[in-house]
Amino acid sequence: MLNSNSISCTNDKFGRDLRAIWLFSILNINSLFRTKRRMRRRGVGWLMKNQNGNGNGNSSTAVERTLLILEAVALREAGMSNADLSRKLKIPKSSASYILRTLEQHGYLRRDREDSTYRLGMKVLALSRGALRGVDVREVALPIMRSLVDHIHITTHLAILDHSEAVYVEKVETPSFIKMDTWVGRRMEVHSTAVGKSLLAFLSPKEQEAILRQRGLKRLTPHTITSIPRLMKEFERVRQLGYAIDNEENSLGARCVGAPVFNSAGEVEASIASTGAISTVTLEAVPRIAEAVKDAARRISHHLGYRGPYPMPVR
């Protein structure tokens, strides 16, 4: 679950995760960054033509060959043998064998004992998850939120769960002369807001109840839900429909429609919600707005690595 400490940009963390992939004896880290820049500029084909390391030294050659081996294995579901890789990449068998053994020892590849083919190891999966966690949800969400606001003309917020409160971490305002009295960093109740309900609905009942009891169910308007059993039924409805409604529960005269954002692990990372006056967000308009909000939340989730059905089935 994303918390307020992870709001800041995570480029440094991502860099550390990337560098960790190659910290073993055959690699030189400075050569790696030079090689990665050349790959982006000239493509893998250039590496294959220059795999003998002309002008770059043996360490650079080892990096290039290792990158090519990992990429080739990743693209072959059935795995690849030393001979397969040697033929495909035009690498001497002895060199390929040494690289393969080192990658296997460090968990980046695994070898089938029966046919001696190599497939990607769990270490690569773990690092890919680390890379996805390094994605700033605000950076991913902002262009999608802008597109949503252009479509429905309603102010939209992105929120995360911080302990027992929802915190706005991004806001895209409609150009209307009517402005919402909200700001990035504002803390909101979870039981009376669409962002809060979306954040809590897909947690376990134990987690939900712990948060609600810690924070309490303060009555903010005559429409606020103030009993845990009623709120649990509301969470069930959110899970079934895939969106939450704040029907003047947090502020009289305002209605809000929200949806959860999932990360690559299928956990709720954030939520987005569109808020407007009840004259704009009418009850008749809620289904249409909800579909647009859900579509935006689905797209953000996809960019964060979530590949399951939306909304996520209850476990």
Side-chain angles (χ1 to χ4, degrees):
M1 182 68 63
L2 186 68
N3 56 42
S4 57
N5 292 328
S6 59
I7 295 173
S8 61
C9 180
T10 54
N11 288 339
D12 291 341
K13 178 180 179 297
F14 180 81
R16 290 196 298 270
D17 286 339
L18 181 61
R19 288 194 293 272
I21 302 176
W22 313 109
L23 291 179
F24 44 85
S25 60
I26 65 171
L27 305 179
N28 179 286
I29 196 66
N30 293 323
S31 298
L32 172 62
F33 287 115
R34 292 197 298 272
T35 301
K36 293 292 282 184
R37 285 195 292 270
R38 287 197 295 273
M39 285 181 67
R40 287 193 291 267
R41 289 198 305 267
R42 308 185 189 184
V44 174
W46 174 83
L47 286 178
M48 294 181 70
K49 292 178 183 176
N50 293 274
Q51 61 181 314
N52 291 326
N54 296 334
N56 294 316
N58 291 334
S59 180
S60 180
T61 302
V63 174
E64 293 167 2
R65 288 173 172 174
T66 304
L67 290 170
L68 291 170
I69 285 173
L70 282 170
E71 289 174 353
V73 171
L75 293 173
R76 183 75 65 84
E77 186 175 346
M80 299 187 74
S81 67
N82 186 358
D84 294 334
L85 289 162
S86 180
R87 283 194 302 271
K88 180 178 177 62
L89 304 177
K90 298 180 174 57
I91 296 175
K93 281 187 177 180
S94 58
S95 299
S97 177
Y98 179 73
I99 293 172
L100 288 167
R101 285 200 306 272
T102 305
L103 288 171
E104 182 186 6
Q105 289 169 3
H106 288 266
Y108 295 99
L109 292 180
R110 55 188 176 87
R111 186 169 71 91
D112 189 308
R113 303 301 176 186
E114 294 184 3
D115 59 11
S116 295
T117 57
Y118 290 86
R119 294 175 177 81
L120 290 182
M122 295 303 293
K123 184 72 75 68
V124 173
L125 177 61
L127 288 168
S128 70
R129 287 177 176 169
L132 286 168
R133 284 195 298 271
V135 176
D136 187 342
V137 66
R138 294 177 306 161
E139 182 180 342
V140 169
L142 187 55
I144 297 174
M145 292 170 65
R146 286 173 176 158
S147 177
L148 174 63
V149 171
D150 287 343
H151 176 55
I152 63 176
H153 309 293
I154 303 171
T155 296
T156 298
H157 300 89
L158 176 74
I160 62 168
L161 183 65
D162 182 37
H163 300 294
S164 58
E165 294 176 296
V167 181
Y168 289 146
V169 294
E170 193 56 85
K171 175 184 179 181
V172 177
E173 199 155 35
T174 179
S176 167
F177 66 91
I178 300 176
K179 303 297 182 183
M180 300 296 300
D181 185 24
T182 56
W183 57 89
V184 171
R186 184 176 182 182
R187 308 180 79 85
M188 306 295 291
E189 299 289 347
V190 290
H191 71 290
S192 60
T193 59
V195 287
K197 293 177 187 178
S198 297
L199 289 167
L200 262 60
F202 293 86
L203 299 180
S204 69
K206 185 178 180 180
E207 290 174 302
Q208 292 170 347
E209 190 162 344
I211 290 170
L212 295 174
R213 291 194 182 282
Q214 176 185 354
R215 186 68 185 170
L217 304 180
K218 186 188 301 182
R219 183 179 294 279
L220 301 173
T221 77
H223 306 288
T224 306
I225 298 174
T226 57
S227 76
I228 288 181
R230 275 192 62 200
L231 203 54
M232 290 297 185
K233 289 183 179 180
E234 180 77 356
F235 291 156
E236 184 178 349
R237 190 193 66 81
V238 173
R239 291 192 295 269
Q240 291 173 349
L241 297 177
Y243 67 89
I245 299 177
D246 158 15
N247 191 18
E248 297 189 84
E249 298 162 47
N250 194 71
S251 179
L252 286 175
R255 187 172 286 125
C256 185
V257 180
V261 171
F262 299 103
N263 61 24
S264 61
E267 301 164 339
V268 176
E269 183 83 3
S271 65
I272 64 169
S274 297
T275 306
I278 56 175
S279 59
T280 301
V281 185
T282 63
L283 290 175
E284 292 76 19
V286 163
R288 174 181 60 83
I289 294 170
E291 286 307 310
V293 172
K294 283 168 59 179
D295 181 65
R298 184 186 301 112
R299 288 162 59 199
I300 298 170
S301 300
H302 185 83
H303 282 290
L304 294 179
Y306 179 65
R307 295 295 183 267
Y310 190 95
M312 185 185 73
V314 181
R315 294 174 180 174

